[in-house]
Amino acid sequence: MAFFPFIRRAVSAKLLSQSHCSVSKSLLHRFSPASSPHSFHSRGELASYMRAAMFTDPNKPLTIEEFNMPRPKAGEVLIKVKACGVCHSDLHVMKGELPFPSPCVVGHEITGEVVEHGPLTDSKTIERLPIGAHVVGAFIMPCGNCSCCSKGHDDLCEDFFAYNRAEGTLYDGETRLFLRRDGKPIFMYSMGGLAEYCVTPANGVAILPKSVPYAESAILGCAVFTAYGAMAHAAKVRPGDSIAIIGIGGVGSSCLQIARAFGASHIIAVDVQDDKLLKAKTSGATHTVNSHKEDAIEKIKEITGGKGVDIAVEALGRPQTFMQCTQSVRDGGKAVMIGLAKHGSVGEVDINRLVRRKIQVVGSYGGRARQDLPKVIKLAESGIFNLNDMVSRKYKFEEANEAFQDLNEGKIIGRAVIEVA
């Protein structure tokens, strides 16, 4: 049976009544619509409602639902969504492999247009993100105030993990999404970007130059953003470094391009699909390895004269590739883990080799929005990062389930985006 065989117009009352899909009564008092729209800085009149794709149960199709128009609060922006990327992180949630509250609206890498600022938003934010500006939204939305954000470590934002990833809300403990038919609050995965409009903290948004393709740029907020964070902060790639990237999906392909931009020498792409490896050659790979046909560790060592690479990157989130990553690096090398796995997955490592040969194992979840998102956009604007080469498929909003079905079946080479507007 197909994983997401179709998209339904609405969820049945019976489905919404099931206990594991409903919002607990203890949380209901924490969810309330924002204040009157008259207090907002906005351009023109907004409709009173919008559409969004809602997830309810693992392995069940998304449903297109009508929501009350979301309203931003202080320090937040309302974005009219242009495009939303199709990412494995959403798929993990939709398959029940990552714990997240439901029902929720998924989608976390977006481009769009700023249409409102929340009341009491400071003048510097309004000036930086004027109404009508084209923007990219990062999936890690830093609060800007916690101890990690204060040190510049937006990727470790305490509020993002405590509120959004743990509870499906923004940082006042409330969602911005309410069903039109009954006002029921619905959780948000990041900004809940698979929608016609979404609300996100302004700290997670950067201006997109109009010279950069609008739809394709959606992947800058997660696939490229994640790869940049891994290459710049975790791996600390330097000119001349040798690097192996295991898993050539959207994030892995982005790692290839950024490693090339940073001046890596040997860039080895590892995957099980020949079509992805062929595509990797255009993204920066100097060598390719099909790990289904040959031993990836041995081949990587052969390419590097028996030593292994300076840096290996795991972009799949599987125990087998975790092991391949740690075994592929040279003495003193660095294994960088960026692939999310099924909840509870455990990777093995040779402890004695780790200790004796000074192997570093580093995790990396994403970039630092305020620092890195503008840099990522500059790479795309300059042509150093080729967005058109990365985005291989585009889907209509109503084809969201088909997009995730194709992703689940490995049919998407590189990255796909859903065009919302």
Side-chain angles (χ1 to χ4, degrees), residues 254-299:
S254 297
C255 286
L256 291 173
Q257 288 205 46
I258 293 173
R260 179 178 61 184
F262 284 4
S265 56
H266 292 81
I267 304 174
I268 306 168
V270 182
D271 206 283
V272 297
Q273 293 183 228
D274 285 332
D275 53 355
K276 290 186 177 182
L277 293 172
L278 182 62
K279 183 73 172 178
K281 285 284 191 179
T282 68
S283 298
T286 59
H287 301 77
T288 60
V289 178
N290 187 319
S291 58
H292 183 68
K293 299 177 180 178
E294 52 192 338
D295 187 295
I297 300 168
E298 290 184 3
K299 189 64 178 178

Side-chain angles (χ1 to χ4, degrees), residues 242-246 268-270 289 291 295-314 320-337 348-350 353 359-361:
S242 58
I243 184 166
I245 298 166
I246 302 171
I268 306 168
V270 182
V289 178
S291 58
D295 187 295
I297 300 168
E298 290 184 3
K299 189 64 178 178
I300 288 169
K301 289 184 177 180
E302 177 187 321
I303 293 168
T304 56
K307 294 181 178 181
V309 289
D310 297 306
I311 300 159
V313 177
E314 198 282 344
Q320 179 185 1
T321 48
F322 180 97
M323 184 273 295
Q324 287 176 340
C325 186
T326 60
Q327 292 292 322
S328 296
V329 297
R330 64 167 177 79
D331 291 354
K334 188 178 292 186
V336 179
M337 309 300 171
E348 294 184 359
V349 62
D350 183 333
R353 180 170 180 269
I359 306 301
Q360 300 177 63
V361 180

Side-chain angles (χ1 to χ4, degrees), residues 76-89:
E76 299 172 352
V77 290
L78 176 65
I79 297 172
K80 179 177 174 60
V81 178
K82 175 70 175 181
C84 182
V86 181
C87 180
H88 266 102
S89 297

Side-chain angles (χ1 to χ4, degrees), residues 139-261:
F139 83 94
I140 297 179
M141 311 171 298
C143 70
N145 300 313
C146 68
S147 61
C148 290
C149 285
S150 297
K151 297 173 184 175
H153 296 292
D154 291 5
D155 50 329
L156 296 175
C157 175
E158 295 167 0
D159 281 356
F160 173 73
F161 289 100
Y163 287 97
N164 188 264
R165 282 300 181 264
E167 299 187 7
T169 70
L170 292 186
Y171 308 148
D172 58 354
E174 298 181 354
T175 183
R176 302 296 181 265
L177 295 174
F178 300 86
L179 286 172
R180 185 187 183 200
R181 64 173 177 266
D182 56 12
K184 177 187 280 290
I186 303 299
F187 296 108
M188 306 165 65
Y189 191 71
S190 288
M191 71 287 289
L194 193 47
E196 292 176 324
Y197 292 83
C198 70
V199 170
T200 184
N203 285 328
V205 176
I207 292 290
L208 178 69
K210 293 185 179 179
S211 60
V212 182
Y214 216 165
E216 289 84 350
S217 296
I219 70 168
L220 294 173
C222 178
V224 188
F225 181 69
T226 298
Y228 187 91
M231 298 293 100
H233 304 304
K236 293 182 170 63
V237 177
R238 298 291 183 266
D241 281 345
S242 58
I243 184 166
I245 298 166
I246 302 171
I248 311 302
V251 175
S253 296
S254 297
C255 286
L256 291 173
Q257 288 205 46
I258 293 173
R260 179 178 61 184

